[in-house]
Amino acid sequence: MKKDFEKYDGIILDIDGTIWNTTGIVSHAWNQAVKNTGFGVKFVTAQVLQQEFGKTMDVIAADLWPELEVEKRNALLEECCSMEQIALRENNLDITYPGVTDTIKEMAVEHNFYIVSNCQDGYIELMMEKTGLTPYIKDWECFGRTGKGKCENIMMLSQRNQLTCPVYVGDTQGDKEACNQAGVPFIWAAYGFGKVDEYFDKIESFSSLKRLV
């Protein structure tokens, strides 16, 4: 396949494992939620979350706490999301991958950036606020807002913005499969959380996205 980046009219980004790594902060926040709810389930680690991030929130909860009935699992997930938002908002450390913000700001002069994630509602907005990327992201969509998976949200965002040839940058096999289903070329962020079996192209660092232009 010819890798001609100039023909693409949108760059759609994943968040976790692509823009930043929140797993250390989020694991502490989720463990606080486990304590708060008192359901007696296991704690999580950053390493465990790296294997789970990229899935929809309901699937993550089912993977982590299969022993809980759905009502309790949903209550725990809601508490996890609440504690996570607090922890991320209070965080003052730079948890973005090297070169992410500078590269997006530089490339946004000529290219339109978007975000599609399987995260909860409000997470994308918080990430943009914390990183200063709000002015550089044209539109975004997520599972928490639509209740739909990444493939459907990629197609929905593309249609809404009249994108005919977007590319998607993500780090997991799930990202790759969603792109295949949506008919969108997948660029693998090889520095992120996951491994993939095939890709349109790959980047070893976010700043190397510029070489595709």
Side-chain angles (χ1 to χ4, degrees):
M1 183 180 295
K2 186 175 185 292
K3 299 173 181 178
D4 181 5
F5 202 87
E6 291 185 357
K7 72 179 180 180
Y8 298 106
D9 55 3
I11 304 171
I12 309 174
L13 304 174
D14 176 45
I15 296 183
D16 296 300
T18 301
I19 291 178
W20 68 4
N21 181 359
T22 66
T23 54
I25 296 169
V26 171
S27 62
H28 288 293
W30 284 28
N31 288 337
Q32 185 60 53
V34 168
K35 294 177 183 178
N36 293 348
T37 53
F39 293 151
V41 294
K42 65 182 179 182
F43 291 141
V44 300
T45 65
Q47 290 71 29
V48 167
L49 290 182
Q50 286 184 19
Q51 300 302 312
E52 293 294 327
F53 276 14
K55 302 175 183 178
T56 58
M57 299 300 294
D58 55 342
V59 172
I60 293 175
D63 285 351
L64 295 178
W65 306 296
E67 70 275 23
L68 286 181
E69 59 187 52
V70 174
E71 184 177 348
K72 287 187 176 181
R73 191 187 301 155
N74 289 341
L76 175 53
L77 182 59
E78 184 176 350
E79 182 67 9
C80 284
C81 291
S82 176
M83 297 305 297
E84 174 184 317
Q85 288 270 329
I86 293 171
L88 289 174
R89 189 168 294 282
E90 292 178 348
N91 172 61
N92 292 316
L93 299 175
D94 183 4
I95 55 175
T96 57
Y97 288 102
V100 168
T101 54
D102 288 343
T103 300
I104 291 175
K105 290 176 182 179
E106 179 181 342
M107 292 182 66
V109 174
E110 297 183 354
H111 300 277
N112 292 328
F113 282 92
Y114 306 87
I115 292 175
V116 171
S117 171
N118 280 332
C119 64
Q120 67 271 28
D121 191 20
Y123 184 78
I124 297 174
E125 293 90 331
L126 178 58
M127 180 281 295
M128 294 191 298
E129 177 187 335
K130 295 293 290 187
T131 59
L133 289 175
T134 302
Y136 305 95
I137 305 299
K138 298 293 185 180
D139 195 8
W140 58 91
E141 200 52 89
C142 66
F143 169 79
R145 191 158 66 175
T146 68
K148 300 181 183 299
K150 186 162 286 185
C151 167
E152 292 169 291
N153 283 331
I154 288 173
M155 291 190 292
M156 185 183 306
L157 179 137
S158 297
Q159 182 177 23
R160 189 162 69 219
N161 292 277
Q162 300 181 320
L163 304 180
T164 58
C165 298
V167 291
Y168 187 90
V169 184
D171 66 303
T172 67
Q173 181 71 13
D175 292 336
K176 172 257 180 183
E177 291 171 356
C179 287
N180 283 356
Q181 294 167 10
V184 172
F186 171 66
I187 297 175
W188 178 37
Y191 56 84
F193 299 155
K195 300 294 183 182
V196 302
D197 56 16
E198 62 177 350
Y199 46 82
F200 171 73
D201 206 338
K202 75 172 182 177
I203 52 175
E204 298 289 352
S205 65
F206 193 89
S207 59
S208 62
L209 189 63
K210 292 185 289 186
R211 73 175 170 78
L212 300 179
V213 178

